[in-house]
Amino acid sequence: MLEKNTQAPNILLSNQDNEMIDISKIHKKKCIFFYPKSFTPGCTIQVCSMQNSLQKFIDLGVEVFAISGDSVEKIKKFTVKYGIDYNILSDLDFAICKQYEVFKEKKIFGKVFRGIERSSFLLDANNNLLETFLKVSPLNHTEKVLTYFLNHQ
């Protein structure tokens, strides 16, 4: 498990515009959240909730990133449909998901498979891990993250 106050693994992935994003080059606080699949109900709620609060994150000096196992093309369609203004990164081979230990065995309706566990990692400007929220609910995820950053300015 990733430990607080340690350097988070670097993230170098393509965003919805097929631009390579290197998290280590962004020197501000970050919320990096992982979600299972674009266009599914829970993920749509979570991603749109973050978008609806994006200005609050900007005001707090926090940059928001989402990571999914979807293709760049699928993520682009998703961001256009829902008007998402922050970077959603494509981790097709789940390499970053594995480094962040969110690619896990899951069970839904009795079916066992491996997939992304909905989780968030909050980083400082030097990419040190401040806080982790694992197995988050899409219904209160944004509120939890905002509350953390409001209480730790």
Side-chain angles (χ1 to χ4, degrees):
M1 184 165 147
L2 299 177
E3 295 190 28
K4 289 182 191 176
N5 302 314
T6 62
Q7 189 78 30
N10 191 36
I11 297 170
L12 181 63
L13 292 171
S14 294
N15 71 1
Q16 64 267 29
D17 296 319
N18 209 25
E19 299 167 338
M20 192 60 68
I21 303 296
D22 184 347
I23 297 293
S24 70
K25 302 219 183 304
I26 298 166
H27 300 289
K28 56 172 63 173
K29 294 178 277 186
K30 294 169 240 6
C31 168
I32 299 167
F33 73 95
F34 293 81
Y35 72 91
K37 197 170 186 175
S38 299
F39 294 106
T40 58
C43 296
T44 301
I45 289 168
Q46 182 180 21
V47 169
C48 290
S49 176
M50 294 296 278
Q51 176 63 40
N52 294 340
S53 295
L54 189 58
Q55 189 57 53
K56 292 177 184 174
F57 284 106
I58 291 168
D59 293 346
L60 290 167
V62 177
E63 189 151 351
V64 175
F65 297 90
I67 299 176
S68 168
D70 295 322
S71 69
V72 168
E73 296 78 17
K74 184 173 184 181
I75 292 170
K76 179 67 175 180
K77 289 177 187 172
F78 185 63
T79 59
V80 168
K81 180 173 182 173
Y82 292 104
I84 306 303
D85 294 323
Y86 57 89
N87 286 301
I88 300 183
L89 310 177
S90 173
D91 188 15
L92 273 176
D93 63 1
F94 304 105
I96 299 298
C97 293
K98 290 173 184 172
Q99 286 183 354
Y100 277 78
E101 302 174 21
V102 298
F103 191 71
K104 307 224 176 197
E105 187 172 280
K106 299 167 73 174
K107 187 175 184 179
I108 298 177
F109 304 117
K111 182 181 171 191
V112 177
F113 63 97
R114 293 192 58 79
I116 296 173
E117 181 178 87
R118 195 181 310 278
S119 304
S120 292
F121 297 84
L122 312 185
L123 309 181
D124 68 13
N126 297 312
N127 296 317
N128 294 307
L129 183 61
L130 298 171
E131 186 60 85
T132 306
F133 297 112
L134 305 175
K135 296 183 182 179
V136 299
S137 165
L139 300 176
N140 68 1
H141 169 251
T142 301
E143 183 179 319
K144 277 183 159 183
V145 173
L146 276 173
T147 299
Y148 177 87
F149 282 118
L150 281 167
N151 292 333
H152 296 86
Q153 292 190 51

